[in-house]
Amino acid sequence: MSFDVLLFLLRAGFLVLLYVFLIAVVKVAWGGLRKAAEAREAVAAPASMVRLRIISSARNGLMNHAFDLWSSATLGRAPDNTIVLSDASVSAHHAAVRQEHGQWWVEDLRSTNGTAVNEAWVRSPTPFYPGDVVRLGEVQLRLEVDDVRG
């Protein structure tokens, strides 16, 4: 085998490796772009409808009333809350709920009568799940999630 043939084979092999590498780079980049587009679509169109429904209330007459949740809300007696609960056992600014990475969290805002999730007192931001009951004073609310994707 002559030197010219060996040099030709090395060049051809290098070109094949170069094309394989470029195809792999394009494939990875295309997959990343597709995942980013899917993530944007997931944010733009909610996958589920989330609400807090009053399931027990001694005084406020809002039994079975539901409040839609989006990404965060404050709950309390004061009119500047996202969800106003006119019950004497609820503090003016009682609790806050928020969603982070698909997980819902509840936090007590130094309320007088406390906040509980499934009867466990909330001392720091606490995760809660569909079906869990959050108690603010004497008012109990259940987290409900309906899948709207069909």
Side-chain angles (χ1 to χ4, degrees):
M1 188 185 305
S2 76
F3 182 73
D4 291 333
V5 172
L6 182 62
L7 188 59
F8 174 77
L9 290 175
L10 286 173
R11 286 180 181 169
F14 176 75
L15 282 175
V16 168
L17 287 175
L18 181 63
Y19 282 115
V20 168
F21 173 75
L22 290 174
I23 290 169
V25 167
V26 168
K27 216 172 164 183
V28 168
W30 186 258
L33 289 172
R34 194 173 58 217
K35 284 182 183 177
E38 289 171 0
R40 279 192 303 273
E41 288 174 13
V43 169
S48 57
M49 188 62 162
V50 181
R51 72 183 68 79
L52 283 173
R53 181 177 304 279
I54 296 177
I55 59 171
S56 174
S57 174
R59 302 178 197 123
N60 67 11
L62 290 176
M63 183 68 169
N64 210 28
H65 190 81
F67 303 94
D68 292 338
L69 294 177
W70 300 103
S71 61
S72 66
T74 56
L75 297 92
R77 223 176 43 247
D80 62 337
N81 286 292
T82 311
I83 298 173
V84 178
L85 301 169
S86 55
D87 188 294
S89 68
V90 176
S91 295
H93 298 96
H94 199 107
V97 295
R98 72 182 182 285
Q99 183 185 43
E100 287 183 9
H101 308 294
Q103 171 65 59
W104 284 96
W105 297 81
V106 63
E107 180 178 7
D108 185 74
L109 300 177
R110 294 185 233 171
S111 64
T112 303
N113 293 321
T115 303
V117 174
N118 298 327
E119 297 304 320
W121 292 108
V122 171
R123 306 257 183 255
S124 61
T126 302
F128 68 116
Y129 305 91
D132 283 354
V133 175
V134 177
R135 184 166 56 82
L136 288 73
E138 294 179 21
V139 177
Q140 294 183 7
L141 304 108
R142 181 177 45 241
L143 182 67
E144 297 178 346
V145 178
D146 296 330
D147 192 359
V148 295
R149 289 177 286 194

